Amino acid sequence: MQDLEAELERARALDESDLADAIETIGFECTRCGACCKSEEDDPHTATVFPDEVREVAGEDDERDRRSDDVASRSPSQSSRDWRDVARPMPYGLDEDGSGETFEWALQTNACGDCTFYEEDDDGTGACTVHDSRPLICETYPFSVALGGTSQPMGEAVDESGMVRAHECEGLGRDISRADAEDLAAALKERAVRELEEAIGVRDEYAPADPDAGETVVHDSEGAKRPDGSVYEP
């Protein structure tokens, strides 16, 4: 069994109760400070998003509109998002002009480098405008599990085994209910499994694209894509 497959089996075998114990011990409550949604100094916000999560966020407004009484009053631009509204090519490995080949997608950012779905009130309280369909990496922040093939942030070890990690966050150390800890643990396990499944898919689907000058190709578990999410065909 190859390394990624072995790590995937470890992820699937994670005990949610143990994860919840670690989360409950350190404690956590989101303070809505927005630090995890903003750029850091000159580095734009970068949060990995799976292809199906891109589609879910893109369709959130459509689903809300189907439940709304004023569907007819909404224009298409108000009721849907395209791929580029949600995600951008992961910048690592790309040229300065954004061309070249890269792996995976990052949530889209605004002109300030913050997550495009982050909003802040006048008092500085932040909010996610797609909270109900936010990606797993956002749902589980600031926690992660120490498995090969999973993404950052790794942070500091929380439990004795070193499996659960916590990135620096002002919400750590606050009281959390057992129910909330269990929900967070379930999401954390799901994220670990999904990240490894995605990594395996990327590996298996990858084929060098050799894009033309100025072109960008993104390799994900579904194959090679253009920045608008369409299939890349040289």
Side-chain angles (χ1 to χ4, degrees):
M1 182 176 289
Q2 299 181 18
D3 289 345
L4 286 176
E5 279 79 3
E7 292 298 271
L8 176 57
E9 290 308 308
R10 290 182 65 198
R12 288 172 173 165
L14 287 171
D15 189 319
E16 291 183 20
S17 180
D18 289 344
L19 298 179
D21 287 345
I23 293 170
E24 190 175 24
T25 297
I26 190 172
F28 173 71
E29 180 184 19
C30 178
T31 65
R32 296 176 64 183
C33 69
C36 60
C37 305
K38 298 178 182 178
S39 62
E40 295 184 9
E41 297 180 354
D42 295 329
D43 294 328
H45 175 266
T46 305
T48 306
V49 56
F50 303 129
D52 63 321
E53 290 180 324
V54 176
R55 288 187 283 268
E56 183 177 358
V57 174
E60 183 189 70
D61 280 357
D62 291 334
E63 179 63 27
R64 184 176 64 238
D65 288 349
R66 282 194 287 271
R67 299 192 301 266
S68 176
D69 293 332
D70 63 341
V71 174
S73 67
R74 296 178 182 266
S75 67
S77 62
Q78 292 175 306
S79 62
S80 63
R81 302 183 181 95
D82 64 27
W83 189 281
R84 288 177 182 266
D85 292 330
V86 178
R88 62 190 176 101
M90 190 66 73
Y92 308 126
L94 295 177
D95 296 336
E96 290 185 6
D97 64 356
S99 63
E101 294 184 74
T102 188
F103 296 89
E104 299 294 0
W105 302 91
L107 282 174
Q108 188 57 270
T109 53
N110 60 23
C112 297
D114 300 340
C115 177
T116 192
F117 301 113
Y118 175 72
E119 290 186 351
E120 198 168 271
D121 296 337
D122 292 338
D123 64 359
T125 301
C128 174
T129 60
V130 292
H131 187 269
D132 290 343
S133 60
R134 67 196 186 282
L136 282 165
I137 195 169
C138 303
E139 184 177 353
T140 56
Y141 192 90
F143 297 100
S144 64
V145 293
L147 289 171
T150 57
S151 66
Q152 301 292 331
M154 293 300 290
E156 299 296 326
V158 173
D159 59 339
E160 291 184 1
S161 70
M163 178 61 71
V164 180
R165 305 295 182 94
H167 190 69
E168 183 178 349
C169 175
E170 71 173 36
L172 292 171
R174 297 170 181 263
D175 290 340
I176 185 171
S177 69
R178 182 64 187 184
D180 286 345
E182 289 175 346
D183 288 345
L184 189 48
L188 190 58
K189 178 177 179 177
E190 180 184 0
R191 172 185 158 194
V193 170
R194 291 287 309 283
E195 286 180 342
L196 282 155
E197 289 176 339
E198 180 71 13
I200 291 169
V202 171
R203 181 201 64 195
D204 293 347
E205 292 292 328
Y206 175 73
D210 192 23
D212 294 333
E215 283 191 319
T216 305
V217 176
V218 182
H219 298 277
D220 62 28
S221 61
E222 298 172 351
K225 291 190 177 80
R226 298 186 182 277
D228 64 359
S230 62
V231 175
Y232 175 77
E233 296 178 350

